[in-house]
Amino acid sequence: MTNPRISPALDEQARAILRGNDRGGYTVPTDGLYPYQWNWDSAFAAWGFATFDLDRAWTELDTLFSAQWDDGMVPHIIFHKPDPGYFPGPDVWGTGKSPETSGISQPPVAATMARLILDIDAQAGRDRIAALYPKMLAWHRWWRDYRCGSGVVAITHPWESGRDNCPDWDIGMRNVDGSNVGEYTRRDTGHVDPSMRPGKADYDRYIAMVQFGRECGWDQAEIVKNGPFLMADPGITFILLRAHDDLAAMGRTLGHDVSEIEGWAADLRAAVPSIWNAETRGYDARDLKTGRFSGRIGSAAFLAYLAGVESPELDVRMTELWDAVRYGFPSADPASADFDPRRYWRGPSWPVVNALMAIGLKDRGHHAAAERLRRETAELIEAHGFFEYFDPIDGTPCGGDAFTWTAAIWLTWAGLAADTKGGA
Ligand code: GLC
């Protein structure tokens, strides 16, 4: 039985966005602002394609993993074709890979998305997942080997988190010297309103971190040990925990021994209490160079549900943050002085994070909250279209338009008339 949909016309627009952003085997997040293949955007794009073109869905993941490094890392950007409209491009990253890529990774949602796609048609996906499985396994092992030294997942650059300028990273950013990066021209502020983008001081530091990586030849162990930035990320910790479970489930179906993955998941789960901040009453980012918490709670803390981690206190905090806004879940705490409802990850509501949160809420039996999140996200898209993110207080659309992952989550989740299905 197919679920009733809110609007066939919006469904058609969403499909047109995915097709329009298709560059042949991979999808750009949006034309202009982001002209390459981004890691977690692509995984969501695959889920979106799966609603109308399964073969194309798997191809999106195949292309993503075709850029995997020998050590298992799947980079955050793949520069398939040169594009002068984007900075920092391949020449700045200087990773020397083919295809050219950035030198950091991004939230590992691919296994979770692959499992959702497999749920649509397990038969059609069997050979595709069989081929992808060892690559996903190698990537998860890379997280374990290069990012889980402290127990939970660490990031070496705020961009690795996918939540570029959220207040969680401020404390770690302060240690980064951005004063010697030299001259450069940003391109992002030519595409969208600069007041919605990270500021110049932040950008200088982002570039300084890229320069450190480049200078050490992208030696990941060296970056972790001596790089300018290392913070524990609750977002990726929960995403990876969930992805380990999804990868293990797919591995079992394929007849593999998944005990290695189960071991990684058990270790990661055991480390989760180390990012609980009793003061802010939430899962908090932590500067691993000093041990200090960021003291900021944002949407990433509530991806806990996705990983099957929950507590009555977390439910209370979720309501506190959410009830302070009107549309979807805020990326940063509205009660905090640095909350900024239109500046990227410092407050806005991101449809794609709402979708991940809702999967977790539903799995944990919080059906009313999951449905509220879907409804509020749908209202934003119905009123304004497929924007990158939205002001959670008045719904103003922000950032890039015709955005791939917003279209994808409309097709898979937000565009359902009511999400009453048992699964995700
Ligand atoms: C920004 C976002 C990141 C996303 C990318 C492409 O950098 O912060 O999460 O992957 O844009 O959409």
Side-chain angles (χ1 to χ4, degrees):
M1 199 187 80
T2 49
N3 283 285
R5 311 268 324 162
I6 294 175
S7 160
L10 283 176
D11 291 353
E12 196 39 53
Q13 277 182 39
R15 286 190 285 268
I17 288 172
L18 289 185
R19 287 196 201 96
N21 288 338
D22 185 350
R23 295 291 177 272
Y26 71 95
T27 321
V28 297
T30 185
D31 193 40
L33 182 63
Y34 296 120
Y36 301 110
Q37 183 175 22
W38 260 260
N39 187 323
W40 69 327
D41 298 65
S42 242
F44 285 105
W47 190 27
F49 274 121
T51 61
F52 64 99
D53 187 344
L54 274 168
D55 180 57
R56 181 62 189 76
W58 288 111
T59 300
E60 185 79 26
L61 294 175
D62 291 343
T63 311
L64 175 62
F65 279 86
S66 72
Q68 184 165 35
W69 288 17
D70 290 343
D71 63 5
M73 184 179 81
V74 182
H76 104 290
I77 309 176
I78 308 162
F79 301 108
H80 291 284
K81 289 181 219 146
D83 192 308
Y86 182 81
F87 177 88
D91 48 324
V92 181
W93 288 93
T95 58
K97 301 288 174 189
S98 176
E100 291 186 282
T101 73
S102 67
I104 55 173
S105 199
Q106 241 192 349
V109 291
T112 298
M113 294 298 128
R115 192 174 178 200
L116 290 169
I117 296 166
L118 215 49
D119 280 350
I120 297 173
D121 189 338
Q123 194 59 34
R126 194 175 164 93
D127 290 351
R128 309 298 289 265
I129 194 61
L132 277 166
Y133 179 81
K135 301 178 185 178
M136 290 186 173
L137 184 66
W139 188 27
H140 285 214
R141 187 179 292 120
W142 177 87
W143 283 104
R144 160 79 182 201
D145 289 350
Y146 291 102
R147 294 290 188 267
C148 292
S150 78
V152 293
V153 180
I155 53 161
T156 58
H157 192 300
W159 289 344
E160 199 157 60
S161 72
R163 299 178 296 120
D164 304 8
N165 66 332
C166 69
D168 306 29
W169 315 134
D170 290 1
I171 183 176
M173 285 280 276
R174 273 184 226 125
N175 303 328
V176 181
D177 179 5
S179 64
N180 291 312
V181 292
E183 291 295 306
Y184 62 92
T185 307
R186 285 174 68 169
R187 302 288 176 186
D188 57 321
T189 44
H191 294 288
V192 290
D193 181 347
S195 72
M196 294 178 180
R197 299 288 304 178
K200 155 107 175 113
D202 281 349
Y203 232 82
D204 287 347
R205 292 182 168 118
Y206 296 149
I207 300 306
M209 289 177 248
V210 172
Q211 290 175 348
F212 183 94
R214 185 193 169 127
E215 273 153 29
C216 72
W218 296 103
D219 174 340
Q220 297 292 332
E222 168 65 12
I223 295 169
V224 167
K225 193 159 172 247
N226 295 317
F229 181 95
L230 190 71
M231 286 193 74
D233 177 7
I236 297 194
T237 296
F238 294 131
I239 285 171
L240 184 63
L241 200 40
R242 168 62 178 241
H244 279 334
D245 289 349
D246 288 324
L247 189 62
M250 293 189 291
R252 267 179 229 113
T253 309
L254 290 167
H256 294 296
D257 173 2
V258 297
S259 49
E260 186 185 14
I261 310 173
E262 288 168 344
W264 299 335
D267 289 349
L268 194 50
R269 196 171 291 281
V272 164
S274 71
I275 49 168
W276 179 263
N277 183 348
E279 239 167 73
T280 49
R281 294 178 295 126
Y283 292 107
D284 194 357
R286 201 164 193 167
D287 185 349
L288 295 172
K289 294 188 172 289
T290 61
R292 286 177 58 205
F293 277 119
S294 82
R296 300 286 179 277
I297 296 298
S299 49
F302 303 95
L303 293 177
Y305 297 97
L306 189 67
V309 172
E310 64 176 327
S311 66
E313 200 155 26
L314 198 67
D315 297 344
V316 171
R317 285 301 269 149
M318 176 173 74
T319 310
E320 283 172 7
L321 265 75
W322 199 356
D323 284 354
V325 298
R326 165 67 185 83
Y327 295 102
F329 206 82
S331 46
D333 185 355
S336 163
D338 43 34
F339 175 76
D340 187 340
R342 298 204 185 155
R343 199 181 282 276
Y344 221 39
W345 291 95
R346 300 185 77 84
S349 173
W350 287 71
V352 72
V353 175
N354 293 346
L356 278 184
M357 233 179 106
I359 292 174
L361 285 168
K362 201 159 65 162
D363 284 357
R364 305 303 299 167
H366 298 282
H367 293 286
E371 176 52 17
R372 171 181 166 193
L373 204 42
R374 189 206 58 76
R375 197 178 56 246
E376 291 180 5
T377 307
E379 279 171 18
L380 289 168
I381 297 172
E382 282 181 274
H384 307 288
F386 298 90
F387 275 82
E388 187 177 7
Y389 57 95
F390 299 87
D391 181 324
I393 294 169
D394 67 9
T396 298
C398 301
D401 193 359
F403 226 85
T404 291
W405 63 12
T406 309
I409 66 95
W410 172 267
L411 290 169
T412 52
W413 168 69
L416 294 166
D419 192 2
T420 49
K421 263 194 318 177

